[in-house]
Amino acid sequence: VDAPAFAYLLAWTDEAEMRAGWDAFMADAQWAAIKADTAAQGLKMVDGIDDRVLTPTDFSAALEAPT
């Protein structure tokens, strides 16, 4: 049975900002508490993370800088 999957499309100005953003998210106290509470119930909130970095091409739609 396939489990539900979620995809997040996020815009970053560069790889350093992307890494800092993910590091901050993974270190967030509320996120850690949610994962711990879920694990205490014998459940797994996240089974794994597959990172995929998409790079615009010459024919990609124009993107505005993230705000």
Side-chain angles (χ1 to χ4, degrees), residues 15-36:
E15 187 174 347
E17 182 186 22
M18 177 184 72
R19 296 283 170 228
W22 275 115
D23 289 348
F25 173 72
M26 297 304 282
D28 181 78
Q30 186 176 9
W31 174 239
I34 291 168
K35 288 191 301 184

Side-chain angles (χ1 to χ4, degrees), residues 13-63:
T13 55
D14 56 30
E15 187 174 347
E17 182 186 22
M18 177 184 72
R19 296 283 170 228
W22 275 115
D23 289 348
F25 173 72
M26 297 304 282
D28 181 78
Q30 186 176 9
W31 174 239
I34 291 168
K35 288 191 301 184
D37 290 346
T38 304
Q41 297 174 40
L43 304 170
K44 193 181 271 190
M45 175 64 81
V46 176
D47 191 30
I49 297 173
D50 294 324
D51 288 333
R52 290 181 177 80
V53 177
L54 308 176
T55 304
T57 64
D58 291 341
F59 55 86
S60 295
L63 299 175

